[in-house]
Amino acid sequence: MKKAAIIGAGIAGIATAIHLANKGYKVEVFEANNYAGGKLSEFWKDGFRYDAGPSLFTLPERVEELILQSGKKVEDYFSYKKLETINKYFWEDGTKLEASADTETFAKQVEAKLGEPKENILKFLKSSKEKYDLTADLFLTRSLHKAETYFNKTALKAFSQIWKLELFKTMNQANSLIFEKEKTVQLFNRYATYNGSSPYVAPALLNVIPHLEFNKGAFLPTEGMFDITKSLVKLGQDLGVIYHFDKKVEEIIIDKNQNKITGIKVKDSKKEETQTEELDFDIVVSNMDVVHTYKKLLPKEKAPEFLLQQQKSSSALIFYWGMNAEYKELDLHNIFFTKEYKKEFNALFNGKTLYEDPTIYIFVSSKHIKTDAPEGCENWFVMINAPHNLNDGSQDWDTWIKKAKQDIIKKLERILMRNVEENIISESILDPRKIELRTSSLGGSLYGNSSNNRYAAFLRHANFSKTKGLYFCGGSVHPGGGIPLALSSAKIVGEMIEKI
Ligand code: FAD
């Protein structure tokens, strides 16, 4: 039986393991942490449960598809619900907007609260759908590094309607043309942050993202985001996948003469002094950040430096607060906008620093999952965008985090007109340094490369390499970060590797 090793139990590694098990491989996953999921993990503290990373779930069919392809029933592994309210938005001048999942209702809500003609919203969402329909199959489900991707009906259709993609406008330019009100522009510009980019630089093509939330829907797994990880690990195990936790891969072994991988060197993550173990494999798939894969696991190989040096996506600073109160003003997803959006992105991408009046995102899973917080309490996941960690000592993270906490509390108290600070009874903090340490993603970037470049889609590393038997999956390679794309990368790898 041929053997495949997966380096990392991030969501893409977990999904790749399923694809390969279904193809008849004996699959082993090596994970440096003592838990699965990488960024998509959870933790408990003081009676509160928190999803540590992702909070927004779109395209659940990508998870269902894996279960069905494995010949299993979805209901035996995974369940989720569709959200009726997608987001609540708050501005400093007291404006509040509830975004319904029903597009007609949402358009009316925007007209009533922001003064934006509802036709503009409907026109925008229609064009968002058109962009998605033209490009999704091409960019998200195939390798961009194979000629056949460009010579088929889907590609021809996209090229024949290329003007609809607004390739030569930034997201902000496109949104400023379609919308009359600054707040509407800001609301839709925020979708650039869904892959860690700036709307003032990223191409208007990223306007496909609102289509996912507003037209296709936003969802929440019944037991929280971590349920995606748990369900797919269980599915893999049922198919025979073996998980090794606390096992750090130190090197990918290559037979230079045959230009093919022959195995990996693995070490116990907890015991530095232990010897590395050499294990033979026919296939190796790295779910580790591609930059670190080359630098740490393939130090003798020639790395594709140009691709590896592309700008990284933004990172995040998160305060997980156990709140000793309930805030009826909040929903599951809540956004508190900055007054100066452009300045915020300038600080993040040019200044490489936190912004003093950041846009704040709060996710409260206990609004839907009551067991996530003690009675009368709420579990707040409070996130602001952060630059990635430069690792050069120029960023004073500890001082910045203390200041950011105070800036966030003051802003929330101003807008909610309620005390926040006195209700925080438990706290954990995640910053770019810790994200890098825990998941190995370069500088703690959330989504691999940023899309702050018109050609970004073509500047991500392919899912295969020149070395026979070596493949890449996950947010740092094609087609990019975020759960749906990480799952797509796994599917592309699965399709590239032949059945045995
Ligand atoms: P990762 O999650 O990066 O995991 C990689 C794994 O590999 C880790 O477990 C790591 O320990 C392991 N590893 C690395 N090196 C080695 C080694 N040498 N040996 C063994 N194991 C190794 N996405 C969304 O879709 N919606 C959201 O709302 C969203 N919000 C986010 C919020 C935050 C705070 C964060 C951090 C991310 C968010 N994302 C969101 C992005 C999403 O989490 C990621 O794109 C996705 O989870 C990346 O998965 P991955 O498979 O690339 O692997």
Side-chain angles (χ1 to χ4, degrees):
M1 196 177 197
K2 282 198 174 178
K3 285 170 38 177
I6 315 282
I7 306 172
I11 195 61
I14 294 169
T16 305
I18 295 169
H19 285 295
L20 296 189
N22 282 336
K23 288 211 151 173
Y25 284 82
K26 179 172 185 303
V27 187
E28 295 183 48
V29 181
F30 296 86
E31 169 54 54
N33 293 319
N34 61 2
Y35 56 88
K39 298 183 182 80
L40 187 45
S41 56
E42 72 169 3
F43 69 95
W44 283 86
K45 189 173 180 195
D46 302 328
F48 295 88
R49 190 196 71 87
Y50 301 93
D51 282 308
S55 52
L56 184 79
F57 182 38
T58 53
L59 297 178
E61 58 265 37
R62 296 268 160 92
V63 175
E64 290 177 325
E65 178 182 86
L66 271 166
I67 302 170
L68 294 170
Q69 276 172 4
S70 307
K72 309 280 184 189
K73 287 187 195 146
V74 172
E75 61 271 26
D76 288 344
Y77 287 89
F78 188 58
S79 66
Y80 58 88
K81 64 173 157 184
K82 188 167 189 227
L83 302 181
E84 285 172 16
T85 299
I86 292 185
N87 273 314
K88 267 195 176 177
Y89 297 97
F90 299 81
W91 282 268
E92 289 267 2
D93 65 2
T95 308
K96 286 182 199 146
L97 171 71
E98 192 169 319
S100 165
D102 175 73
T103 41
E104 272 288 332
T105 310
F106 172 57
K108 283 185 196 150
Q109 288 166 325
V110 179
E111 185 168 81
K113 294 291 171 118
L114 308 186
E116 182 74 47
K118 88 181 204 329
E119 295 69 33
N120 290 351
I121 303 294
L122 296 174
K123 192 168 133 200
F124 174 86
L125 291 177
K126 187 166 169 258
S127 124
S128 176
K129 177 180 185 316
E130 276 174 355
K131 285 191 178 76
Y132 182 85
D133 290 345
L134 278 176
T135 56
D137 187 38
L138 187 62
F139 283 94
L140 308 183
T141 63
R142 297 163 193 252
S143 171
L144 289 183
H145 308 81
K146 300 262 182 194
E148 61 262 29
T149 300
Y150 302 96
F151 297 102
N152 58 59
K153 265 198 208 152
T154 317
L156 281 178
K157 193 174 168 207
F159 292 131
S160 69
Q161 300 183 42
I162 204 158
W163 80 94
K164 288 189 177 165
L165 306 181
E166 300 185 283
L167 293 177
F168 294 96
K169 287 190 194 107
T170 67
M171 189 184 216
N172 178 62
Q173 281 166 344
N175 292 347
S176 303
L177 282 173
I178 197 162
F179 298 120
E180 293 173 16
K181 301 292 173 187
E182 248 180 63
K183 287 191 174 81
T184 327
V185 174
Q186 187 175 35
L187 187 154
F188 284 104
N189 274 355
R190 195 182 71 90
Y191 286 92
T193 63
Y194 279 35
N195 77 354
S197 306
S198 161
Y200 301 95
V201 191
L205 186 53
L206 289 198
N207 276 335
V208 293
I209 301 171
H211 167 64
L212 299 183
E213 248 185 44
F214 287 103
N215 295 327
K216 285 176 110 37
F219 303 86
L220 181 70
T222 315
E223 293 175 23
M225 295 297 288
F226 184 60
D227 204 20
I228 304 172
T229 298
K230 273 191 302 192
S231 302
L232 294 184
V233 167
K234 172 153 192 325
L235 172 63
Q237 286 170 332
D238 289 351
L239 298 170
V241 174
I242 298 167
Y243 277 85
H244 303 278
F245 293 105
D246 281 327
K247 291 285 181 198
K248 189 173 177 185
V249 177
E250 300 261 295
E251 195 181 325
I252 296 170
I253 310 167
I254 292 177
D255 177 339
K256 279 283 191 197
N257 295 327
Q258 297 190 64
N259 186 35
K260 71 187 260 276
I261 65 98
T262 57
I264 52 175
K265 287 188 187 170
V266 183
K267 202 170 174 172
D268 197 316
S269 312
K270 285 203 171 143
K271 299 179 200 140
E272 267 310 306
E273 68 286 358
T274 48
Q275 296 275 309
T276 53
E277 208 184 336
E278 274 193 34
L279 302 169
D280 294 340
F281 284 98
D282 302 288
I283 300 274
V284 172
V285 184
S286 179
N287 180 211
M288 183 188 195
D289 182 289
V290 67
V291 179
H292 281 151
T293 302
Y294 275 102
K295 304 271 180 244
K296 296 184 178 166
L297 308 190
L298 295 164
K300 295 175 212 138
E301 296 305 299
K302 194 172 169 341
E305 289 300 337
F306 180 67
L307 296 184
L308 302 188
Q309 279 164 17
Q310 294 301 310
Q311 187 190 52
K312 295 295 129 197
S313 83
S314 54
S315 186
L317 169 62
I318 299 133
F319 296 94
Y320 307 89
W321 286 335
M323 303 296 292
N324 191 18
E326 287 178 311
Y327 289 71
K328 302 274 177 250
E329 310 82 332
L330 299 183
D331 205 273
L332 181 70
H333 300 290
N334 310 275
I335 321 291
F336 295 76
F337 274 118
T338 175
K339 283 188 202 149
E340 301 274 3
Y341 218 19
K342 196 167 187 178
K343 283 190 184 164
E344 182 173 2
F345 288 100
N346 195 30
L348 295 171
F349 286 104
N350 299 325
K352 312 267 192 266
T353 184
L354 295 179
Y355 184 52
E356 61 193 5
D357 171 31
T359 297
I360 305 165
Y361 165 68
I362 308 185
F363 169 61
V364 193
S365 69
S366 63
K367 292 276 181 200
H368 287 253
I369 307 164
K370 292 295 164 206
T371 48
D372 281 358
E375 202 170 341
C377 298
E378 289 181 347
N379 64 341
W380 284 19
F381 165 111
V382 181
M383 176 167 113
I384 61 170
N385 292 316
H388 61 269
N389 181 28
L390 295 174
N391 278 310
D392 62 1
S394 65
Q395 293 164 306
D396 187 356
W397 286 109
D398 293 329
T399 310
W400 291 359
I401 291 167
K402 276 193 202 120
K403 181 173 178 310
K405 180 176 171 180
Q406 287 314 313
D407 291 339
I408 291 170
I409 288 172
K410 278 189 216 141
K411 187 177 174 85
L412 294 178
E413 291 187 344
R414 266 197 317 271
I415 297 179
L416 291 174
M417 292 191 284
R418 274 188 70 177
N419 200 301
V420 168
E421 190 160 26
E422 74 178 18
N423 289 324
I424 303 173
I425 52 169
S426 170
E427 179 180 84
S428 302
I429 299 173
L430 184 67
D431 66 54
R433 297 167 303 183
K434 282 192 201 158
I435 296 175
E436 180 164 29
L437 201 69
R438 285 182 194 170
T439 67
S440 209
S441 71
L442 193 73
S445 75
L446 305 190
Y447 303 95
N449 289 355
S450 79
S451 290
N452 288 339
N453 180 330
R454 193 179 296 150
Y455 307 105
F458 301 94
L459 297 172
R460 291 194 173 90
H461 196 288
N463 305 100
F464 58 94
S465 84
K466 287 186 186 138
T467 308
K468 220 173 145 216
L470 177 60
Y471 297 85
F472 299 90
C473 67
S476 69
V477 294
H478 175 71
I483 300 166
L485 300 199
L487 291 175
S488 281
S489 75
K491 189 174 177 189
I492 295 171
V493 169
E495 280 166 4
M496 277 174 179
I497 296 173
E498 60 192 46
K499 200 168 174 169
I500 46 170

